[in-house]
Amino acid sequence: MLHDTPPVRLSGCPSTRLPRMDILILGAGLAGLAAAERLTAAGHPVKLLEARERVGGRVLTARDPRVSYPIELSAEWLDPTGLARHLLDARKSVVREAQGPRWRRDNDGLVQLKALYDKELMRRLKRIEGRDRPLARALQQCCAEARWDQAKVELLNYVQGFHAADPANVSLRWFLEAEANQSAEASGYRAIEGADSIVEALKGSLGAGAELQLRTVVREVRWKPGRVRVFAESAGLLQRFEAQRALVTLPLAILQAAPHDPSRVRFVPSLRAKQRALAHLATGDVYKVILVFDRPFWKQLAALEDMLMLQRPDQAFPTWWSMQPVEAPLLVGWVAGPAARRVAPARGEALLGLALDSLAQALAIARTGVEQHLTGWHFHDWSADPFARGAYSNVLSGGSRAWQSLARPLENTLYFAGEATCANGFNATMEGAIASGRRAAREILGE
């Protein structure tokens, strides 16, 4: 039996009790907003508790007065027909396809990439039968011959770069499912006015029954069937919120946080039913640097006039892309997955230095040739962000249905949404986060 005991007081934080609400939503990212939209449309009052001073979660768009193009510090790419696109279309926001050649530079010069990976290699992976296994092991089993070596390197680089996953433990089944439904080739569109337009579309569609409280950090969730008490720190106070049900949209890494981790949210009783699912999911690291220049000087370099993407795999930031189809003096540097560990210790000017060195090598020019055009740079450390603790999720070997277990409601009282709970390989996407929120809303409504 769950005893109604008072929470541990935060040092120096008086406690207040706020009115009882029907539904609490923990987190006002895409999933939380999407759920609130549906619930309020059905006439249910909701209260959203958001730790940040803004809504949107891991969608973060900045504005730089030196350029007219939005600076995407996180999610950027869209499915041309997905839920995010539908929201943008309803606002009459411009969505355009990013087109242009993809190049890889190695010691032999530039090579134009016609595909993200070898299609025959993928077909061989699909023919593997039996139990799930790590992707790297599957590649050794299906394609051990030397003629596959380069194709395997390219695929493994892609898995790290796009899925932010470790090939040594990522699920083969999940990877194949994700590629069938939401590969990088299927996500080549941009919101020209900024990805935060998606956030604003959801926020603007909330019904009158939605109440949003920012700068409210959830510390503890006490629950039993039909009753939830949430204790959260806000403006120096430890506040208590009560509801019949709660929707948890906290990022995966927060749910996985160790007992003494300051980012941890304590559940009483614990989420024991979710532990196996949580053990089969991982949060990938991403370092994304946006460099701002006085002009797109790379257009003067041979073969790079219309480039969309440029890779130099041996560099700290192995992948760069332009703002195609918009001509803007910005280049984005990207490293993800295990390769991000090389960048993780760098901060401030050291991080910028790695980016400049990497770009200079990719362009095959001196670093001074890059620096002379630099006017600014942008970066947000999602791995160190206490309300994210990483970029987005992937699935470990043996856990291809872990999302399903994580998403399953507990006692018709606790519900779960967020990109890590999304089906069919759509986790790690804005579309997946929105879909998960709407799915959870249907569960709460009994639809």
Side-chain angles (χ1 to χ4, degrees), residues 103-413:
W103 297 95
R104 183 184 70 236
R105 187 182 297 278
D106 53 29
N107 293 333
D108 296 324
L110 282 174
V111 177
Q112 187 170 355
L113 303 176
K114 300 298 184 181
L116 296 172
Y117 44 70
D118 189 291
K119 304 302 182 184
E120 178 58 30
L121 191 67
M122 287 291 288
R123 284 190 284 270
R124 292 173 73 95
L125 286 172
K126 291 175 184 177
R127 290 197 290 267
I128 293 178
E129 298 178 349
R131 299 178 62 181
D132 193 16
R133 66 208 69 192
L135 174 62
R137 187 190 305 168
L139 284 171
Q140 286 303 108
Q141 291 172 343
C142 80
C143 312
E145 301 94 333
R147 65 191 180 95
W148 293 109
D149 286 353
Q150 181 58 37
K152 286 190 292 187
V153 168
E154 292 172 359
L155 181 63
L156 293 172
N157 287 340
Y158 169 77
V159 171
Q160 292 189 70
F162 182 68
H163 292 291
D166 186 345
N169 55 40
V170 71
S171 163
L172 170 64
R173 288 182 181 173
W174 171 79
F175 169 68
L176 294 176
E177 185 176 44
E179 286 303 300
N181 293 310
Q182 194 71 5
S183 73
E185 291 177 332
S187 306
Y189 286 70
R190 283 194 170 105
I192 300 301
E193 296 159 21
D196 58 350
S197 299
I198 303 165
V199 177
E200 292 304 313
L202 284 170
K203 183 181 177 183
S205 64
L206 296 181
E211 184 181 349
L212 174 64
Q213 184 167 321
L214 301 175
R215 304 181 186 87
T216 303
V217 183
V218 173
R219 299 299 189 190
E220 183 175 277
V221 179
R222 289 179 170 261
W223 68 282
K224 63 182 179 180
R227 184 180 184 185
V228 181
R229 289 182 175 179
V230 172
F231 300 92
E233 184 181 358
S234 179
L237 298 176
L238 183 60
Q239 298 182 337
R240 186 169 93 181
F241 304 87
E242 296 188 14
Q244 295 173 349
R245 289 156 292 186
L247 170 58
V248 180
T249 74
L250 304 174
L252 173 66
I254 302 301
L255 295 177
Q256 293 173 323
H260 300 295
D261 191 315
S263 296
R264 178 178 181 249
V265 176
R266 183 169 180 253
F267 286 83
V268 182
S270 66
L271 300 180
R272 184 175 300 174
K274 304 296 181 183
Q275 292 311 306
R276 187 177 188 281
L278 291 171
H280 280 87
L281 297 167
T283 298
D285 289 323
V286 168
Y287 288 84
K288 179 181 184 182
V289 171
I290 299 91
L291 302 184
V292 183
F293 300 101
D294 56 5
R295 59 186 176 85
F297 66 93
W298 57 91
K299 289 181 173 290
Q300 300 174 349
L301 303 177
L304 300 181
E305 179 180 1
D306 299 317
M307 83 159 181
L308 172 60
M309 191 167 292
L310 177 61
Q311 296 180 350
R312 178 78 195 223
D314 61 351
Q315 295 300 302
F317 285 89
T319 300
W320 293 86
W321 63 74
S322 69
M323 296 299 106
Q324 294 279 27
V326 175
E327 183 167 325
L330 304 175
L331 287 176
V332 177
W334 178 275
V335 60
R341 295 170 190 154
R342 293 178 294 180
V343 174
R347 294 291 184 271
E349 292 300 315
L351 182 68
L352 175 60
L354 289 176
L356 292 172
D357 286 339
S358 298
L359 179 57
Q361 289 294 319
L363 296 174
I365 63 175
R367 173 170 160 168
T368 55
V370 176
E371 286 181 304
Q372 66 179 330
H373 296 289
L374 185 71
T375 62
W377 68 293
H378 298 263
F379 170 73
H380 182 83
D381 191 344
W382 292 102
S383 297
D385 186 315
F387 308 126
R389 301 297 298 273
Y392 46 79
S393 67
N394 59 80
V395 178
L396 304 181
S397 176
S400 59
R401 287 295 173 266
W403 64 268
Q404 197 171 41
S405 297
L406 185 58
R408 188 174 296 122
L410 296 178
E411 301 288 352
N412 295 318
T413 301

